[in-house]
Amino acid sequence: MKCLKKFDWIKIPREEIPLARGNMIYFLRLAARAAYRKGTATYCGYRNAVDPGMWVGGVVGLKSILGVKRRQKALQIMDELQMLGYITYTLEQETKILTYRITDWVI
Protein backbone atom coordinates (compact mmCIF):
# COMPACT_ATOMS: atom_id res chain seq x y z
CA MET A 1 0.00 0.00 0.00
CA LYS A 2 1.30 3.45 -0.91
CA CYS A 3 1.88 6.18 1.66
CA LEU A 4 -1.11 8.54 1.41
CA LYS A 5 0.90 11.49 2.71
CA LYS A 6 2.71 11.74 -0.64
CA PHE A 7 -0.46 12.39 -2.67
CA ASP A 8 -1.20 15.95 -3.82
CA TRP A 9 -4.96 15.42 -3.49
CA ILE A 10 -7.50 13.87 -1.18
CA LYS A 11 -10.81 12.18 -1.92
CA ILE A 12 -13.62 14.07 -0.20
CA PRO A 13 -16.31 11.75 1.19
CA ARG A 14 -19.71 12.86 -0.13
CA GLU A 15 -21.44 12.27 3.21
CA GLU A 16 -19.12 14.77 4.95
CA ILE A 17 -20.26 17.77 2.89
CA PRO A 18 -22.75 19.94 4.82
CA LEU A 19 -26.23 20.56 3.41
CA ALA A 20 -25.78 24.28 2.83
CA ARG A 21 -25.46 26.76 -0.03
CA GLY A 22 -22.56 28.91 -1.14
CA ASN A 23 -19.56 28.86 -3.45
CA MET A 24 -17.35 26.77 -1.15
CA ILE A 25 -20.05 24.15 -0.64
CA TYR A 26 -20.63 23.96 -4.40
CA PHE A 27 -16.86 23.61 -4.89
CA LEU A 28 -16.74 20.79 -2.34
CA ARG A 29 -19.61 18.99 -4.08
CA LEU A 30 -17.85 19.25 -7.44
CA ALA A 31 -14.54 18.12 -5.93
CA ALA A 32 -16.21 15.13 -4.26
CA ARG A 33 -17.51 13.91 -7.63
CA ALA A 34 -14.28 14.53 -9.55
CA ALA A 35 -12.21 11.50 -10.52
CA TYR A 36 -9.38 10.71 -8.15
CA ARG A 37 -7.38 8.66 -10.64
CA LYS A 38 -6.94 8.37 -14.39
CA GLY A 39 -9.38 6.06 -16.14
CA THR A 40 -12.80 6.01 -17.75
CA ALA A 41 -16.06 7.30 -16.37
CA THR A 42 -19.48 6.06 -17.40
CA TYR A 43 -22.35 8.53 -17.80
CA CYS A 44 -25.69 7.58 -19.38
CA GLY A 45 -24.13 4.66 -21.20
CA TYR A 46 -21.22 6.67 -22.60
CA ARG A 47 -17.62 5.98 -21.61
CA ASN A 48 -15.40 9.05 -21.26
CA ALA A 49 -11.70 9.28 -20.44
CA VAL A 50 -11.01 11.23 -17.24
CA ASP A 51 -7.91 12.49 -15.45
CA PRO A 52 -7.55 13.17 -11.70
CA GLY A 53 -9.69 16.14 -10.70
CA MET A 54 -11.97 15.90 -13.74
CA TRP A 55 -15.64 15.05 -14.31
CA VAL A 56 -17.45 14.43 -17.60
CA GLY A 57 -21.21 14.22 -18.00
CA GLY A 58 -24.29 16.23 -18.80
CA VAL A 59 -26.06 19.23 -17.34
CA VAL A 60 -28.63 16.99 -15.65
CA GLY A 61 -25.83 15.26 -13.75
CA LEU A 62 -24.32 18.63 -12.86
CA LYS A 63 -27.65 19.84 -11.48
CA SER A 64 -27.81 16.70 -9.35
CA ILE A 65 -24.29 17.25 -8.01
CA LEU A 66 -24.93 20.89 -7.14
CA GLY A 67 -28.42 20.27 -5.77
CA VAL A 68 -30.14 22.88 -7.93
CA LYS A 69 -33.23 22.52 -10.11
CA ARG A 70 -32.58 24.93 -12.96
CA ARG A 71 -30.01 24.61 -15.75
CA GLN A 72 -29.32 28.37 -15.73
CA LYS A 73 -28.59 28.32 -11.98
CA ALA A 74 -26.15 25.42 -12.40
CA LEU A 75 -24.30 27.17 -15.22
CA GLN A 76 -24.28 30.43 -13.23
CA ILE A 77 -22.62 28.61 -10.31
CA MET A 78 -20.06 27.11 -12.69
CA ASP A 79 -19.33 30.57 -14.13
CA GLU A 80 -18.79 32.00 -10.64
CA LEU A 81 -16.45 29.18 -9.62
CA GLN A 82 -14.53 29.53 -12.88
CA MET A 83 -14.23 33.28 -12.36
CA LEU A 84 -12.83 32.64 -8.85
CA GLY A 85 -10.28 30.22 -10.33
CA TYR A 86 -11.45 27.06 -8.55
CA ILE A 87 -12.51 25.18 -11.70
CA THR A 88 -12.44 25.30 -15.48
CA TYR A 89 -15.32 23.91 -17.48
CA THR A 90 -16.51 23.50 -21.04
CA LEU A 91 -19.93 22.72 -22.44
CA GLU A 92 -19.96 21.32 -25.97
CA GLN A 93 -23.05 22.65 -27.72
CA GLU A 94 -23.45 19.88 -30.30
CA THR A 95 -22.96 16.90 -27.95
CA LYS A 96 -24.20 18.58 -24.73
CA ILE A 97 -21.22 17.09 -22.84
CA LEU A 98 -20.05 19.14 -19.87
CA THR A 99 -16.51 18.68 -18.60
CA TYR A 100 -15.07 20.34 -15.53
CA ARG A 101 -11.64 20.20 -13.94
CA ILE A 102 -10.76 21.17 -10.38
CA THR A 103 -7.85 23.62 -10.56
CA ASP A 104 -7.46 24.52 -6.90
CA TRP A 105 -6.86 21.42 -4.76
CA VAL A 106 -6.32 21.84 -1.04
CA ILE A 107 -2.93 20.37 -0.15
Side-chain angles (χ1 to χ4, degrees), residues 3 53 59 65 68 89:
C3 177
V59 177
I65 292 170
V68 297
Y89 85 98

Side-chain angles (χ1 to χ4, degrees), residues 65-81:
I65 292 170
L66 295 174
V68 297
K69 294 183 179 181
R70 298 184 63 221
R71 173 189 174 96
Q72 295 296 52
K73 178 67 175 171
L75 294 177
Q76 178 186 6
I77 291 168
M78 296 298 280
D79 287 336
E80 289 176 14
L81 291 174

Side-chain angles (χ1 to χ4, degrees), residues 24-72:
M24 290 310 295
I25 299 298
Y26 293 134
F27 172 73
L28 285 175
R29 288 179 183 170
L30 293 173
R33 295 293 182 104
Y36 56 94
R37 65 175 179 241
K38 188 173 182 171
T40 58
T42 309
Y43 180 79
C44 291
Y46 295 101
R47 299 178 68 81
N48 301 304
V50 292
D51 292 326
M54 183 178 173
W55 182 86
V56 178
V59 177
V60 174
L62 178 68
K63 291 184 339 185
S64 174
I65 292 170
L66 295 174
V68 297
K69 294 183 179 181
R70 298 184 63 221
R71 173 189 174 96
Q72 295 296 52

